[in-house]
Amino acid sequence: MKRTWWKEAVVYQVYWRSFFDSNGDGYGDLEGLIQKLDYIHDLGVDVIWLNPCYESPDKDNGYDISDYYRIMDKAGDMETFDRLLHEVHQRGMKLIMDLVVNHTSDQHPWFIESRSSKDNPKRDWYIWRDKPNNWRSYFTPSAWEYDEKTGQYYFHSFAVEQPDLNWENKEVREEIYKMMRFWLDKGIDGFRLDAIALLAKPDGFPDAENPYDIRYLTNNPGVHEYLQEMHDKVLKHYDIFTVGEVAFVSPEEGLKYVEEDRNELHTLFHFEVCDEMPTWDPIRFKQIQKRWYEGLWGKGWNSQFLNNHDHTRQVTRYGNDKQFRVESAKLLATLVHTLPGTPYIYQGEEIGMTGVKFDSIDDYNDIAMKNKYAEEVAKGRDPKEVLESLQLLSRDNSRTPMQWDDSEHAGFTTGTPWLKVNPNYKEINVKQALAAPNSVYYYYKKLIQLRKQNPVMVYGTFRDLSENEPYIYAYTRELDGVRWLIVLNHCDSDNVYTLPEELSSASRRLLLGNYIDVKEEGTTLHMRPHEARIYALQ
């Protein structure tokens, strides 16, 4: 297997508007990120993934771009961005930018021209039709919006304010490639490519048999040709890292995006866990991991994550954020960092931040949640029940401001935060984590250091030893005669794991555990609630 810097990297995602506010306007900003770079660097990560900071009306928190060449005022300006990039590189880290090329804002000059008349030269830069089909978008009941001025409908896979670009138009593609080169020539180290599986649309836009199953939006014929062209014209000319957001894919389809000799992307986010496993399902999770390992290993590269800006914080969704918050936060970290693939840390995860339950829909900002709430209430459903049904998976669970200390607004801002701070910030914050030697933060630091020092954690083969176990997850990683055993008790109670006969005679050395006092035992391991252990076997 080819060894590369990006396979060995640990990525830290910065959702900048919730990270640190340097000027008191209630929004995090790039200057705030610069001021906190040492915190990220000290954790030991290699790459920062920066969510979109381009000029935007901010209808979808920056994923509706109105100017690819400018920084939005909330984030700062281009001078600040250039300084950020310099400071990241000065610390030996890399920076990848979140890039949206499936759609733009409806305020982008391209779309303003496109909708001005049917014969405008940019009319075909977007997708217009006389009649809509029955498709839904990710955020709204219809993927089509009527434009009174020209009497046609335009297509949007997400919000009404996010019209899809027409990738069949060569002029569009060339303009996108030009823009990508602009940022790469600045010296950024790659892209996280948003909604990249949506670029190609089905011929003719036929009605869907079941419009609620929106898989018709993704992975359509032509998408791989677009990505190969992007690679040929842009990506291959730079030493960078690319990761694509690719929903609704099997390992077989996913491999097409990342197989090393296909020349498309380096790695991908699939969402069989985060989108399709709303609560912890151990058997299903193990099956997902095994299928993706068998589908990609030796041919392409995977990503490991359990939360991000679109998905509820992992300790709330997949762990126990109350009785065993610290233990389960460490267990989930062990899981993500020892399974095959590149591990991602979402800001605040490293101190065990949790999800929230606001009392009113008015306290939420998530456009997808608010649209769904309005749609369901309009059907006559009880508003309280609708709110409760949407809370667990609301994207705002992970978007509440970073909790730096126990001062007002968690030290995030001196103003009024754009989104309410989680009320538990007095107990869960960076200041507290840095003062406690056994905190979640220092456990992450140890995990990252292990990965840097031990190639087996990156390139080792994977074998599940516990496929049908409901609570214990045990697996090995092996490389060049080095073999590790990882044992996790993903449960609120004690459990016992008996080593398989093939490992019973091996001597064990504990490399890392999330409980302080681990007693060496024979072939039977007595695991406490949410206990995680990493052993070297000899």
Side-chain angles (χ1 to χ4, degrees):
M1 179 186 298
K2 184 180 179 182
R3 299 193 178 193
T4 65
W5 66 264
W6 50 264
K7 289 177 182 175
E8 298 166 11
V10 175
V11 183
Y12 187 93
Q13 181 188 355
V14 173
Y15 194 70
W16 56 266
R17 70 188 60 230
S18 292
F19 195 59
F20 184 63
D21 173 19
S22 71
N23 60 8
D25 67 355
Y27 288 88
D29 46 47
L30 300 186
E31 178 60 41
L33 173 53
I34 292 172
Q35 293 179 21
K36 296 295 186 180
L37 280 179
D38 285 339
Y39 167 78
I40 299 174
H41 178 259
D42 289 348
L43 187 60
V45 301
D46 309 282
V47 177
I48 293 174
W49 154 23
L50 183 65
N51 282 100
C53 55
Y54 316 91
E55 181 65 34
S56 169
D58 232 15
K59 296 294 184 181
D60 186 26
N61 291 7
Y63 285 88
D64 50 320
I65 299 170
S66 56
D67 188 339
Y68 286 104
Y69 295 91
R70 287 185 58 200
I71 301 295
M72 76 166 76
D73 290 342
K74 287 174 184 172
D77 55 27
M78 192 62 79
E79 184 275 331
T80 309
F81 177 85
D82 290 341
R83 193 155 41 85
L84 168 64
L85 184 60
H86 173 76
E87 293 292 336
V88 168
H89 287 164
Q90 281 287 98
R91 289 164 174 79
M93 297 186 293
K94 297 180 184 292
L95 180 72
I96 65 171
M97 292 187 73
D98 210 324
L99 183 63
V100 189
V101 295
N102 174 72
H103 50 271
T104 69
S105 165
D106 62 352
Q107 300 304 306
H108 196 292
W110 299 345
F111 187 71
I112 292 173
E113 283 193 53
S114 182
R115 77 188 311 178
S116 66
S117 68
K118 288 185 179 180
D119 58 1
N120 185 279
K122 286 190 170 58
R123 183 66 169 185
D124 193 43
W125 282 40
Y126 294 83
I127 299 166
W128 295 90
R129 293 291 184 273
D130 290 329
K131 294 181 180 179
N133 64 7
N134 68 345
W135 291 7
R136 295 177 64 89
S137 82
Y138 274 89
F139 293 171
T140 58
S142 174
W144 301 89
E145 181 71 8
Y146 184 67
D147 182 68
E148 289 189 5
K149 183 173 183 179
T150 57
Q152 285 190 315
Y153 295 81
Y154 67 84
F155 183 75
H156 57 94
S157 295
F158 294 91
V160 168
E161 298 89 352
Q162 294 169 293
D164 281 35
L165 287 162
N166 178 16
W167 269 74
E168 290 187 1
N169 187 315
K170 185 177 180 181
E171 289 182 349
V172 169
R173 301 199 303 274
E174 291 297 333
E175 194 63 36
I176 292 295
Y177 302 152
K178 173 185 172 184
M179 175 270 297
M180 294 174 76
R181 286 189 289 268
F182 167 81
W183 288 102
L184 291 168
D185 288 342
K186 271 186 171 290
I188 71 165
D189 302 289
F191 295 110
R192 180 265 188 185
L193 292 157
D194 180 74
I196 202 66
L198 277 67
L199 300 186
K201 317 300 184 188
D203 288 341
F205 291 87
D207 275 349
E209 184 176 337
N210 175 14
Y212 288 87
D213 183 356
I214 59 173
R215 293 171 188 267
Y216 45 74
L217 294 174
T218 67
N219 306 302
N220 289 302
V223 67
H224 296 291
E225 285 75 12
Y226 293 148
L227 290 177
Q228 287 163 10
E229 181 183 76
M230 179 189 292
H231 182 274
D232 184 61
K233 296 204 170 188
V234 183
L235 304 178
K236 76 176 185 181
H237 302 287
Y238 302 86
D239 179 22
I240 57 170
F241 169 49
T242 56
V243 54
E245 182 188 36
V246 183
F248 304 128
V249 284
S250 63
E252 294 73 25
E253 182 67 30
L255 183 61
K256 295 177 183 177
Y257 288 89
V258 300
E259 191 169 10
E260 293 186 359
D261 60 3
R262 282 177 62 87
N263 297 323
E264 295 187 26
L265 304 175
H266 288 134
T267 186
L268 82 165
F269 296 135
H270 72 80
F271 294 94
E272 276 202 64
V273 177
C274 285
D275 277 358
E276 301 173 41
M277 199 180 85
T279 55
W280 186 250
D281 184 336
I283 304 301
R284 185 177 181 186
F285 183 82
K286 293 176 186 181
Q287 292 170 344
I288 291 169
Q289 291 297 327
K290 184 178 180 182
R291 283 194 301 104
W292 278 89
Y293 170 74
E294 292 174 347
L296 265 58
W297 193 252
K299 295 171 282 188
W301 200 250
N302 202 359
S303 301
Q304 294 291 348
F305 66 101
L306 291 175
N307 54 193
N308 58 27
H309 65 290
D310 281 336
H311 297 95
T312 301
R313 290 194 173 277
Q314 61 191 35
V315 73
T316 292
R317 187 176 178 190
Y318 295 135
N320 180 328
D321 66 1
K322 296 177 176 63
Q323 185 181 1
F324 298 107
R325 181 186 65 86
V326 171
E327 293 83 0
S328 65
K330 292 178 180 180
L331 178 143
L332 293 168
T334 310
L335 187 71
V336 168
H337 287 253
T338 58
L339 286 169
T342 297
Y344 286 76
I345 301 168
Y346 177 67
Q347 64 182 47
E349 171 193 325
E350 75 281 1
I351 61 168
M353 280 180 62
T354 68
V356 291
K357 283 189 176 181
F358 293 136
D359 295 330
S360 168
I361 190 65
D362 295 330
D363 291 330
Y364 287 89
N365 173 271
D366 178 3
I367 188 173
M369 179 191 187
K370 291 172 88 77
N371 286 354
K372 186 66 174 177
Y373 176 87
E375 182 182 351
E376 294 300 312
V377 170
K379 294 177 182 176
R381 288 188 59 191
D382 177 68
K384 184 177 179 181
E385 289 182 2
V386 174
L387 180 62
E388 290 177 354
S389 72
L390 297 175
Q391 282 175 324
L392 176 63
L393 300 184
S394 169
R395 299 187 298 175
D396 287 343
N397 276 294
S398 57
R399 296 179 178 185
T400 57
M402 184 75 174
Q403 294 162 207
W404 292 103
D405 56 39
D406 59 1
S407 65
E408 188 178 17
H409 305 315
F412 163 70
T413 181
T414 57
T416 301
W418 74 277
L419 187 64
K420 282 187 175 182
V421 175
N422 193 317
N424 64 16
Y425 72 89
K426 288 187 179 293
E427 294 77 42
I428 305 171
N429 59 68
V430 170
K431 183 179 178 181
Q432 178 273 335
L434 294 180
N438 296 312
S439 68
V440 177
Y441 174 88
Y442 288 113
Y443 190 83
Y444 268 79
K445 194 166 182 174
K446 290 174 184 175
L447 273 172
I448 294 167
Q449 195 63 30
L450 270 182
R451 184 180 176 85
K452 289 182 183 300
Q453 295 172 348
N454 297 277
V456 66
M457 206 162 158
V458 181
Y459 298 108
T461 57
F462 165 81
R463 185 182 173 204
D464 185 357
L465 305 175
S466 58
E467 290 183 42
N468 297 313
E469 292 273 357
Y471 304 117
I472 295 290
Y473 196 10
Y475 48 91
T476 57
R477 302 293 305 275
E478 188 167 359
L479 178 71
D480 298 333
V482 176
R483 183 164 53 166
W484 282 13
L485 170 67
I486 296 91
V487 185
L488 312 168
N489 179 30
H490 201 144
C491 179
D492 290 348
S493 59
D494 291 358
N495 272 292
V496 171
Y497 176 65
T498 301
L499 294 177
E501 187 174 344
E502 65 187 273
L503 300 183
S504 60
S505 61
S507 61
R508 301 190 305 274
R509 178 167 57 92
L510 183 68
L511 298 172
L512 186 62
N514 64 346
Y515 277 75
I516 299 173
D517 54 331
V518 178
K519 297 178 181 177
E520 285 306 316
E521 302 158 296
T523 58
T524 300
L525 307 183
H526 296 270
M527 305 290 291
R528 289 160 288 190
H530 298 276
E531 184 164 11
R533 301 182 194 174
I534 303 174
Y535 289 104
L537 301 179
Q538 293 176 339

